[in-house]
């Protein structure tokens, strides 16, 4: 079976009815029949490492049997970051049949399956498997009696560049980014036409083509996402020059949305590469322009009713929603160890670039850590938007941690205080100093997580081992940056 053309892909997703995703398969037998009916010849088995990156291995379709879904397939856990030591390396991956889709970017017809990691001796789920942690968080929500489901809608921003070069040695260090769309190329004259029409600094939201040079590329990405069963609501250029973009997925349940975020990244990176470009989810690749966030929309539901809605409350929020906000704001310093988990994350979390550095909530105000969108009066649409996370986060861990913080707020009736409906960047200094802000570095967030993680341990959702391992891995990143000279230090200090 030849790879589908874009026209064929478009016809396929439209025939489903307004881009609706196909109903997930649930039985191994149905998955095998589906794969063979689609002409699949390979099966790609994916799982997520602790830091949030997909790992994979593949088998021929002839090796896929119902037994694989029961017994799993073995792999070396000691070669995966954050997993096993070499003396306990054997692990098992059991595919989840509900995740079966035809891989939308492989040239060879391939079935994609996401798997859960198990211990081969105890046959128990592996405690460091991020997908297991996400599923435990959903189970804890139900056991709490507060709600029976949570819905998640992250806005995952990213850049598409034309080239990237970087290196670091004992006596040098550099990076060099380029984008045909970048405003820094407005004066270029290299023997080829310079056609102009580029978004200026912080003016990429959102002019039509040709200034938005990535319209068709994003549309192709959307078609591939829909082909993979992901419902898409909108796509557009984002604020920064140089190719910043956003594609918004329709809300989903927690674990399923985390699955979709990884498929989203996978498709975007591969479609960009097929066009000779490179996509990154690094929070702050460009100095002097907006970084990429992952604004996380969320709500709690019980028996088909949105628990965040109350027409009498501020911005239509219920008291339960206010307490949920209180828990997130209270625990944000610790949460950011998972939600903004890189040293680069804190290049984004600075004033002046629409970054949410202030730990307050507000309707419509994008300078607040939590915003209550006001686009609709519908009770079903009422939600909160947590703006601090970024796309370098492991979505399974980030969503689970945010949910646990919100539930702690409800259980302990944590008051978030009064909303702040003014531009926080324009407050008088004496007023601004009263507002708590996010940590200024990854090291600060890790220290906060060390002090404040009991709320994550409830119901066995996170374990002390997972938190300790996470802090150990992330401290190595902090040290790696701390020990190396920064290029700008030479500008500041070489002649001192």
């Amino acid at each position: 079976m030849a790879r589908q053309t874009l026209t064929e892909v478009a016809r396929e997703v439209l025939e489903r009815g307004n881009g609706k995703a196909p109903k997930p398969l649930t039985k191994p037998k149905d998955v095998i029949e589906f794969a063979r009916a689609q002409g699949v010849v390979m099966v790609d088995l994916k799982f997520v490492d602790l830091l949030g990156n997909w790992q994979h291995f593949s088998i021929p379709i002839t090796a896929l049997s119902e037994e694989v879904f029961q017994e799993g397939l073995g792999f070396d856990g000691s070669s995966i970051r954050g997993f096993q030591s070499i003396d306990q390396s054997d692990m098992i991956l059991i595919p989840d049949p509900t995740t079966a889709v035809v891989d939308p970017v492989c040239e060879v017809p391939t079935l994609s399956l996401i798997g859960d990691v198990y211990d081969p001796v105890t046959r128990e789920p592996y405690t460091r498997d991020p997908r297991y942690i996400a599923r435990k968080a959903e189970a804890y929500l139900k056991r709490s009696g507060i709600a029976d489901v949570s819905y998640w809608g992250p806005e995952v921003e990213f850049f598409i560049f034309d080239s990237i070069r970087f290196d670091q040695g004992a006596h040098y260090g550099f990076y060099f980014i380029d984008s045909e769309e970048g405003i820094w190329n407005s004066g270029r004259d290299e023997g080829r036409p310079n056609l102009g029409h580029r978004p200026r600094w912080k003016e990429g939201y959102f002019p039509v083509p040709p200034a938005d040079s990535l319209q068709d590329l994003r549309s192709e990405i959307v078609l591939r996402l829909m082909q993979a069963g992901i419902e898409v609501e909108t796509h557009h250029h984002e604020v920064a020059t140089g190719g910043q973009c956003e594609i918004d997925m329709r809300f989903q349940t927690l674990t399923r949305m985390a699955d979709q975020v990884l498929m989203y990244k996978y498709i975007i990176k591969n479609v960009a590469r097929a066009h000779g470009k490179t996509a990154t989810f690094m929070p702050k690749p460009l100095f002097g322009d907006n970084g990429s966030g992952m604004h996380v929309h969320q709500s709690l539901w019980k028996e088909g009713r949105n628990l965040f809605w109350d027409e009498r409350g501020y911005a239509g929020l219920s008291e339960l929603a206010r307490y949920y906000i209180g828990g997130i704001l209270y625990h944000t310093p610790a949460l950011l160890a998972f939600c903004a988990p890189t040293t680069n994350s804190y290049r984004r979390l600075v004033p002046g670039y629409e970054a949410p550095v202030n730990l307050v909530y507000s309707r419509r105000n994008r300078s607040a850590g939590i915003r209550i969108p006001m686009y609709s009066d519908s009770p079903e649409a009422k939600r909160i938007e947590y703006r601090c996370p970024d796309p370098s986060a492991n979505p399974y861990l980030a969503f689970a941690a945010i949910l646990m913080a919100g539930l702690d707020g409800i259980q302990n009736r944590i008051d978030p205080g009064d909303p702040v409906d003014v531009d926080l960047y324009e407050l008088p200094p004496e007023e601004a100093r009263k507002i708590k802000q996010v940590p200024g570095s990854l090291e600060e967030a890790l220290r906060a997580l060390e002090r404040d993680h009991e709320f994550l341990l409830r119901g066995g959702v996170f374990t002390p081992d997972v938190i300790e391992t996470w802090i150990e891995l992330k401290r190595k990143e902090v040290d790696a940056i701390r020990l190396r000279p920064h290029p700008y230090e030479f500008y500041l200090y070489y002649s001192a």
Side-chain angles (χ1 to χ4, degrees):
M1 183 179 78
R3 189 167 186 247
Q4 289 176 299
T5 66
L6 279 180
T7 301
E8 291 169 336
V9 173
R11 186 179 301 118
E12 175 191 326
V13 298
L14 290 174
E15 284 175 353
R16 293 175 184 164
N18 197 26
K20 295 295 183 183
K23 187 176 181 180
L25 302 169
T26 58
K27 297 178 181 178
K29 179 182 177 182
D30 293 338
V31 172
I32 295 168
E33 291 177 355
F34 168 77
R36 289 176 176 159
Q38 295 295 313
V40 162
V41 297
M42 285 290 166
V43 179
D44 198 49
L45 299 152
K46 300 178 175 71
F47 65 96
V48 63
D49 65 20
L50 192 61
L51 295 179
N53 297 300
W54 257 351
Q55 309 294 331
H56 80 131
F57 57 92
S58 299
I59 60 174
I61 185 62
T62 52
L64 184 65
S65 65
E66 293 187 50
E67 184 180 8
V68 170
F69 290 91
Q70 297 164 357
E71 300 298 322
L73 295 167
F75 69 94
D76 176 9
S78 68
S79 297
I80 305 300
R81 292 180 300 173
F83 275 22
Q84 293 291 85
S85 58
I86 196 167
D87 59 317
Q88 296 181 336
S89 60
D90 289 354
M91 305 299 294
I92 290 175
L93 186 69
I94 298 181
D96 179 348
T98 67
T99 66
V101 295
V102 176
D103 190 294
V105 298
C106 285
E107 292 288 344
V108 175
T110 300
L111 183 75
S112 175
L113 285 166
I114 301 172
D116 297 301
V117 182
Y118 283 76
D119 185 292
V121 177
T122 65
R123 304 298 297 187
E124 293 292 322
Y126 182 45
T127 57
R128 294 188 193 176
D129 178 5
R131 197 166 190 263
Y132 178 46
I133 293 169
R135 291 191 290 113
K136 285 192 290 181
E138 291 187 288
Y140 177 75
L141 172 64
K142 292 181 180 179
R143 291 199 309 273
S144 73
I146 293 171
D148 48 40
V149 67
S150 61
Y151 288 112
W152 301 77
E155 299 176 6
V156 188
E157 298 169 345
F158 56 96
F159 281 88
I160 295 179
F161 297 131
D162 286 288
S163 68
I164 174 72
R165 294 186 287 117
F166 52 88
D167 202 0
Q168 179 78 54
H171 63 292
Y172 64 90
F174 72 90
Y175 68 89
F176 187 87
I177 297 167
D178 202 12
S179 166
E180 173 63 31
E181 188 186 273
I183 191 60
W184 57 84
N185 276 317
S186 62
R188 190 194 67 217
D189 182 9
E190 298 173 351
R192 65 182 191 270
N194 189 335
L195 302 179
H197 300 301
R198 298 178 175 92
R200 293 185 289 265
W201 300 105
K202 300 180 72 171
E203 293 186 18
Y205 190 91
F206 31 42
V208 299
D212 176 5
S213 66
L214 299 168
Q215 168 71 18
D216 282 340
L217 181 54
R218 287 196 310 272
S219 292
E220 179 177 346
I221 291 167
V222 167
L223 288 174
R224 297 296 179 188
L225 289 168
M226 294 167 71
Q227 189 181 26
I230 296 174
E231 293 186 55
V232 175
E233 293 187 333
T234 184
H235 77 79
H236 57 82
H237 205 285
E238 258 298 343
V239 173
T241 190
Q244 191 182 33
C245 300
E246 178 178 314
I247 300 172
D248 293 335
M249 297 174 279
R250 182 171 171 80
F251 64 85
Q252 260 291 2
T253 54
L254 190 153
T255 302
R256 183 63 66 204
M257 179 52 78
D259 290 342
Q260 290 188 178
V261 169
L262 291 197
M263 180 63 80
Y264 175 98
K265 289 184 173 183
Y266 172 75
I267 290 172
I268 289 170
K269 289 177 181 178
N270 279 282
V271 172
R273 185 178 179 87
H275 284 264
K277 297 180 183 292
T278 176
T280 182
F281 295 87
M282 189 175 176
K284 188 77 168 183
L286 296 180
F287 170 69
D289 214 332
N290 283 31
S292 293
M294 184 176 70
H295 307 154
V296 182
H297 296 251
Q298 58 207 274
S299 59
L300 299 182
W301 291 63
K302 188 172 185 178
E303 298 175 352
R305 182 172 66 89
N306 185 356
L307 301 180
F308 279 10
W309 164 256
D310 184 343
E311 62 181 349
R312 299 164 298 179
Y314 168 80
L317 286 179
S318 65
E319 183 178 55
L320 179 141
R322 287 187 70 256
Y323 290 140
Y324 187 93
I325 289 170
I328 292 176
L329 292 177
Y330 178 82
H331 292 296
T332 283
L335 283 180
L336 289 193
F338 291 111
C339 296
T342 67
T343 58
N344 186 252
S345 299
Y346 299 86
R347 316 288 193 228
R348 166 184 170 256
L349 291 174
V350 295
Y353 297 92
E354 299 186 35
V357 298
N358 301 289
L359 295 182
V360 296
Y361 70 104
S362 173
R363 60 185 171 194
R364 304 177 67 185
N365 191 338
R366 296 171 190 266
S367 62
I370 291 180
R371 184 178 74 96
I372 299 91
M374 302 298 292
Y375 298 124
S376 172
D377 292 330
S378 169
E380 288 76 20
K382 185 53 57 181
R383 62 196 186 274
I384 69 166
E385 176 194 18
Y386 186 37
R387 295 174 60 80
C388 299
D390 69 54
S392 67
N394 181 332
Y396 300 96
L397 301 183
F399 298 165
I402 295 167
L403 177 63
M404 296 301 288
L407 293 179
D408 183 60
I410 294 169
Q411 290 161 339
N412 290 292
R413 301 174 70 85
I414 299 176
D415 190 341
D418 294 330
V420 180
D421 288 327
V422 298
D423 185 345
L424 294 162
Y425 302 133
E426 300 299 325
L427 284 176
E430 62 275 11
E431 292 296 320
R433 282 193 289 269
K434 297 177 183 177
I435 295 175
K436 292 183 179 179
Q437 295 198 330
V438 298
S441 68
L442 178 58
E443 178 58 32
E444 286 184 44
L446 294 173
R447 286 199 295 265
L449 180 61
E450 284 180 319
R451 295 190 302 267
D452 177 27
H453 60 256
E454 188 275 334
F455 70 100
L456 297 172
L457 303 178
R458 290 177 195 158
V461 174
F462 286 77
T463 64
D465 172 67
V466 166
I467 292 171
E468 290 166 9
T469 302
W470 183 263
I471 291 172
E472 179 183 355
L473 286 171
K474 288 295 167 178
R475 283 237 163 91
K476 289 179 180 178
E477 295 178 17
V478 171
D479 286 344
I481 298 298
R482 181 175 58 85
L483 293 171
R484 286 167 170 80
H486 188 286
Y488 201 67
E489 289 178 315
F490 288 86
Y491 179 85
L492 292 174
Y493 308 129
Y494 188 79
S495 296

